Amino acid sequence: MILRTARVEEAEELTSLAVRSKRTWGYDDDFMQRVMPDMIVHPHYLTAEHGIVAEDGGTIVGYAIVRVEADKAFLRNLFVEPNRFREGIGKGLFQESVRFARQRGAKTIILGGDPHAIGFYKRMGMRRIGDEPSLAGGGRMLPIMARDIA
């Protein structure tokens, strides 16, 4: 597996991967429709922010998108192909996101994530610092996680 910079022309493929990965949590079509705006990888994300792709044998098996603003980094997305869970791909993407952010002066990395991913992010050293409303509505809240990386 290699990690490389995502290319703008891969935005649609990354969106499809995100949807496949998100669906593994058992979300129905109605839920997925409501959260779809957060699932789309817009091409400008890959130019204004930093996209990292995990590739194995020429196939994209995961990706992350991170941006740095002053001393804070924000992890927009981190998704792995469902049939490749628990192979270290997510960990590699997270570590590369931290490395990238640290090189650009970030002291903290922050994300709003799916409640099902809390365990993964805790294993990556993150802690829950709050919650934010989900696009899914109905009072659903998403955890906000953070980790010092200085």
Side-chain angles (χ1 to χ4, degrees):
M1 181 185 75
I2 63 162
L3 298 177
R4 62 165 175 82
T5 300
R7 296 186 288 267
V8 172
E9 62 271 14
E10 294 170 326
E12 189 174 320
E13 184 177 355
L14 299 180
T15 298
S16 295
L17 188 159
V19 170
R20 285 190 301 277
S21 187
K22 185 84 163 178
R23 281 193 176 276
T24 63
W25 301 118
Y27 296 127
D28 63 19
D29 290 341
D30 181 55
F31 176 91
M32 292 300 294
Q33 188 66 33
R34 290 193 315 268
V35 300
M36 195 61 196
D38 274 349
M39 306 302 300
I40 297 169
V41 176
H42 296 281
H44 73 269
Y45 292 169
L46 302 176
T47 56
E49 302 176 29
H50 181 63
I52 306 159
V53 164
E55 188 177 82
D56 188 16
T59 300
I60 295 174
V61 294
Y63 78 94
I65 299 174
V66 63
R67 77 178 186 279
V68 178
E69 295 176 6
D71 66 346
K72 290 184 175 69
F74 299 90
L75 188 62
R76 175 183 294 279
N77 291 30
L78 193 158
F79 288 102
V80 174
E81 279 291 355
N83 66 343
R84 302 296 300 267
F85 284 179
R86 302 207 179 273
E87 293 183 19
I89 297 166
K91 181 179 181 180
L93 288 164
F94 183 83
Q95 289 173 336
E96 181 61 17
S97 296
V98 167
R99 186 196 64 74
F100 174 85
R102 192 180 285 135
Q103 282 184 337
R104 280 144 189 85
K107 304 212 180 311
T108 307
I109 189 163
I110 302 166
L111 65 90
D114 190 285
H116 294 287
I118 290 174
F120 168 77
Y121 288 115
K122 282 185 175 180
R123 287 190 301 278
M124 297 300 104
M126 300 193 84
R127 68 191 183 293
R128 191 174 191 158
I129 60 168
D131 296 283
E132 64 185 0
S134 168
L135 284 179
R140 183 173 194 261
M141 300 297 285
L142 302 176
I144 300 171
M145 311 282 291
R147 176 182 152 190
D148 295 331
I149 60 171

